[in-house]
Amino acid sequence: MEFNSGDLVRIGRGGVSVFRVLELGVDGDPGRALIEAVGEPRPGIYPWSIRVAHLVPATDQSAGSETAD
């Protein structure tokens, strides 16, 4: 699956939390993305990198029940 900066994603098909893709190709690796949790700013929310292969669109019907607002 291909993602773009700004896309909303979940981690895995059963993921509940929603994240926003901030950057693709982290550290020159096209297989990594920088993501950050979506929602009100609060302690503990910070951007971190993950393999793109672990991400699914937040709108994926097989994902958890949380909606992305």
Side-chain angles (χ1 to χ4, degrees):
M1 169 131 299
E2 189 171 317
F3 295 101
N4 297 301
S5 292
D7 285 352
L8 297 178
V9 297
R10 297 178 195 270
I11 300 172
R13 289 183 22 215
V16 174
S17 298
V18 177
F19 300 86
R20 183 176 315 279
V21 175
L22 301 178
E23 179 184 338
L24 294 162
V26 176
D27 295 328
D29 182 350
R32 293 197 75 77
L34 188 67
I35 63 173
E36 185 174 59
V38 172
E40 291 294 317
R42 59 189 181 272
I45 292 182
Y46 55 88
W48 53 286
S49 71
I50 187 169
R51 297 223 41 90
V52 173
H54 297 295
L55 303 177
V56 297
T59 57
D60 187 335
Q61 297 301 317
S62 60
S65 61
E66 181 179 315
T67 59
D69 295 323

